Amino acid sequence: MKRLLLIIFYVMLSSCLVTKNQMKDNYKKSKIFERSIGILQVSKQEPDFNAPWKFKKVKNEFHLGAAIRTPLHNLVIITTAYAVEHGSSINFLPYFNHKRIPLETIFVDREINLALLTAQDPGELKGLIPLELGENLEIGEQVNIYTDQKNIKLEYLESELSGVEIYESLTSSYQSPHYLFSVNRKNLGWAEPVVKDGRLMALISGRGKEYTYAIPSMIIRHFIQDNYRAQYKGFPALGVYTQSLTSPMLRQYLKVKETSVGVRIAAIEADSPFVDDLRVNDVLVSIAGKKISQKQMIKHSEWGQVAYVLAYNSLYPGDSLSLEIMRDGNPLSFTRTLKKYRANNKLIWQYFPAAQVPHLIFGGLVFQELSLDYLETWGKSWRSKANSSLLYQWYYKNLNSLEQKRVVVMTNVLADKINLGYESLQNKLLEKVNHISVRNMAEINSALGAPLEKNGKKYAIFEFSLGHGEIILSYQDLEKAHTRIAKRYGIHTKESFY
């Protein structure tokens, strides 16, 4: 019995020693990077898309930033674009001294969700040690994810690369590879650095139900090696939408003989470099010399099967890209120069470049151009809960346009006696003003300058699409109505009104 108790004692003692050694090791590893990682304290004031003439209350967020070196700067702080989005004040608190350092933005690419920052007084970054960028991780490789504990202490979580998937950027619709890590901790997703062997391998950009996902070093390297001071090239776009060819009947219809290769071209955007070459129902079989599977995948040497988008993510606008297709069973190939991806070339705004949301109020009718931000006012489940007419535009009409065309929405009516009877209307798609087609806010202003006259009075007629009728308002006493509405709803910007 004594022997058994001794064995149990030694096992417990060994376990305690191992745990203690692990804690010491964790402490040492965290201390090493206290001179490379710090807290970003960001004060944000976001526009109110339900009341676009004002801003929401200021809120404070805490993200992480890592010191790195770029070809243009010996020392900068890198974080996600989401971290600094709508930031009115940004401070950096290095873990090794917690000194508050005011930062300013050097460059932000919202398409890829990355940002570079520097101190307002660059000398204040003295003492920071920049992290070197690592190469691609392999599936199953172990990493340390550095995270924050109560804005005081740097710690790390051990994880491994579970996979690589193509996701849209958190701040745009640009698709690029993201690492998936099998660590599920609720407070992750704040630009935590992912490190291996002292090198920055990725930045955490979000968290799903099963995985935490991150922007890999290949995308970070592409970003910092670009000339972000002038003539920034950005990331390229293909401008082509495809459909998997897993249906034998569809393959037969498109005359595709090889059973494992090729995807159907479903749509081509107006500004695609291949717009004059490709047709709907062509079969894309190869991109940059890599065969595309019927499930829209190519083979990567380190990551296995990955969506074919990866074939051009590492290229720059201005680089050449080759495609091989089958058309009615006949092979064709094209090589074209890639163009820069611009999410805001789409019909619906992905983000507004300025802080103020463009809008116009006429007789209490509130107009703005449809944006992702407005759709997100329906909450996290906006894809199912938002207004059905607006969702239709998002899912089926949101392609790139060569014209300055937008979806103009009358979001709501600010009740006043001038608009009596219309006050309950909301989320109507505007088609014409005074019988003139309008495609953006500027055209509304222009059309309102041409009122319709009847019985000696001037009227504005707003016609809505999808059979949603029209609204007729008088120009008479419009200025008085605007004064009442401004006072009642706290609208302090004259520019908000026609």
Side-chain angles (χ1 to χ4, degrees):
M1 185 69 180
K2 288 182 179 179
R3 188 176 179 183
L4 179 60
L5 289 172
L6 282 171
I7 291 171
I8 293 172
F9 172 75
Y10 281 118
V11 168
M12 291 177 66
L13 181 62
S14 299
S15 176
C16 288
L17 288 172
V18 169
T19 302
K20 191 173 182 181
N21 289 335
Q22 284 177 341
M23 289 176 67
K24 284 183 177 179
D25 185 53
N26 288 0
Y27 176 76
K28 286 179 181 178
K29 287 183 178 179
S30 295
K31 291 295 285 184
I32 289 171
F33 294 107
E34 284 186 354
R35 287 188 174 273
S36 301
I37 300 170
I39 300 168
L40 285 174
Q41 184 183 49
V42 186
S43 296
K44 295 189 173 187
Q45 191 168 28
E46 300 175 356
D48 187 341
F49 284 85
N50 281 320
W53 52 87
K54 66 180 183 179
F55 291 86
K56 296 179 181 178
K57 290 182 179 180
V58 175
K59 64 177 181 179
N60 291 317
E61 290 183 356
F62 295 93
H63 301 257
L64 292 186
I68 63 167
R69 185 181 290 110
T70 77
L72 299 178
H73 288 88
N74 285 329
L75 186 63
V76 291
I77 306 301
I78 190 165
T79 188
T80 59
Y82 176 77
V84 300
E85 190 174 40
H86 305 304
S88 55
S89 169
I90 307 171
N91 291 292
F92 185 64
L93 288 76
Y95 280 100
F96 76 93
N97 63 11
H98 280 271
K99 179 183 177 182
R100 191 181 302 275
I101 303 172
L103 297 185
E104 60 186 20
T105 301
I106 298 174
F107 189 76
V108 177
D109 187 345
R110 294 173 75 168
E111 311 292 17
I112 205 64
N113 191 23
L114 287 172
L116 294 176
L117 309 153
T118 189
Q120 293 177 7
D121 176 5
E124 290 194 284
L125 296 179
K126 188 177 180 181
L128 286 175
I129 301 172
L131 292 172
E132 298 294 329
L133 269 184
E135 301 299 325
N136 290 339
L137 289 171
E138 295 184 4
I139 304 298
E141 252 191 290
Q142 298 288 319
V143 297
N144 294 327
I145 300 174
Y146 282 83
T147 184
D148 176 74
Q149 189 181 72
K150 298 180 180 179
N151 297 330
I152 298 173
K153 182 181 175 184
L154 184 66
E155 63 177 10
Y156 74 88
L157 307 170
E158 293 182 344
S159 188
E160 66 175 40
L161 182 62
S162 299
V164 178
E165 297 286 347
I166 302 296
Y167 287 124
E168 289 187 353
S169 159
L170 189 63
T171 49
S172 168
S173 56
Y174 188 72
Q175 294 185 329
S176 64
H178 284 69
Y179 285 155
L180 304 183
F181 293 107
S182 54
V183 55
N184 194 7
R185 183 163 163 173
K186 288 184 178 180
N187 61 343
L188 287 178
W190 305 96
E192 296 87 351
V194 179
V195 177
K196 180 177 175 63
D197 298 331
R199 293 177 178 270
L200 180 64
M201 311 305 290
L203 283 177
I204 300 296
S205 57
R207 185 174 61 85
K209 290 183 179 179
E210 297 181 11
Y211 296 103
T212 296
Y213 48 94
I215 303 166
S217 58
M218 67 164 283
I219 297 297
I220 297 173
R221 181 173 287 106
H222 185 296
F223 171 66
I224 66 173
Q225 288 182 348
D226 205 339
N227 186 1
Y228 50 81
R229 274 182 171 167
Q231 298 179 338
Y232 178 74
K233 292 181 180 178
F235 287 77
L238 187 61
V240 174
Y241 295 86
T242 57
Q243 174 188 358
S244 297
L245 273 182
T246 52
S247 164
M249 191 61 67
L250 183 55
R251 298 182 72 85
Q252 179 183 333
Y253 175 78
L254 297 176
K255 299 181 180 179
V256 182
K257 295 179 181 179
E258 196 172 345
T259 57
S260 61
V261 176
V263 291
R264 173 183 173 264
I265 292 177
I268 306 122
E269 303 219 72
D271 60 353
S272 168
F274 295 93
V275 68
D276 295 325
D277 306 311
L278 302 178
R279 302 175 188 170
V280 172
N281 284 336
D282 283 345
V283 177
L284 181 59
V285 297
S286 172
I287 183 168
K290 298 179 181 293
K291 292 288 185 183
I292 302 175
S293 76
Q294 60 181 354
K295 294 183 178 181
Q296 310 195 60
M297 305 294 230
I298 57 173
K299 189 175 181 181
H300 188 272
S301 58
E302 294 159 315
W303 302 333
Q305 295 294 313
V306 185
Y308 71 81
V309 170
L310 183 66
Y312 58 86
N313 281 142
S314 59
L315 301 177
Y316 285 90
D319 291 344
S320 294
L321 182 70
S322 297
L323 303 181
E324 294 180 9
I325 69 165
M326 297 290 291
R327 180 178 294 159
D328 294 325
N330 300 312
L332 294 170
S333 62
F334 305 100
T335 300
R336 295 290 177 260
T337 301
L338 290 170
K339 299 178 182 179
K340 184 178 180 180
Y341 182 85
R342 300 179 189 273
N344 280 339
N345 281 355
K346 292 184 180 295
L347 197 64
I348 298 171
W349 285 99
Q350 302 289 297
Y351 54 84
F352 284 107
Q356 187 72 50
V357 181
H359 64 281
L360 179 70
I361 301 171
F362 183 96
L365 312 184
V366 182
F367 298 96
Q368 62 176 291
E369 294 169 357
L370 183 58
S371 64
L372 176 58
D373 293 282
Y374 182 67
L375 289 169
E376 288 177 343
T377 62
W378 273 268
K380 290 183 178 180
S381 301
W382 66 268
R383 293 175 184 273
S384 58
K385 291 184 177 179
N387 176 274
S388 58
S389 298
L390 307 187
L391 286 176
Y392 178 82
Q393 298 294 318
W394 174 262
Y395 284 117
Y396 302 108
K397 298 293 184 180
N398 195 26
L399 294 175
N400 284 16
S401 172
L402 296 177
E403 306 168 343
Q404 291 298 311
K405 187 177 180 181
R406 300 291 176 189
V407 178
V408 181
V409 185
M410 189 196 76
T411 55
N412 61 308
V413 179
L414 305 177
D416 182 79
K417 63 183 181 180
I418 196 173
N419 55 52
L420 190 63
Y422 300 126
E423 61 271 15
S424 63
L425 299 179
Q426 58 184 349
N427 296 316
K428 305 299 181 186
L429 301 178
L430 184 64
E431 195 168 81
K432 293 181 179 181
V433 174
N434 296 335
H435 302 320
I436 301 169
S437 295
V438 293
R439 302 172 298 175
N440 52 50
M441 299 304 296
E443 291 184 358
I444 294 178
N445 255 315
S446 177
L448 285 171
L452 300 175
E453 294 193 22
K454 191 169 185 178
N455 301 325
K457 292 184 177 181
K458 294 179 179 180
Y459 294 94
I461 300 180
F462 302 90
E463 299 173 57
F464 302 98
S465 62
L466 304 175
H468 288 167
E470 60 186 27
I471 290 176
I472 300 176
L473 294 180
S474 172
Y475 283 80
Q476 188 174 348
D477 296 329
L478 185 63
E479 191 171 335
K480 291 179 180 179
H482 285 171
T483 301
R484 291 193 303 270
I485 291 167
K487 184 177 180 180
R488 184 178 300 122
Y489 294 94
I491 304 171
H492 306 297
T493 53
K494 290 183 179 180
E495 296 80 8
S496 294
F497 293 94
Y498 172 74

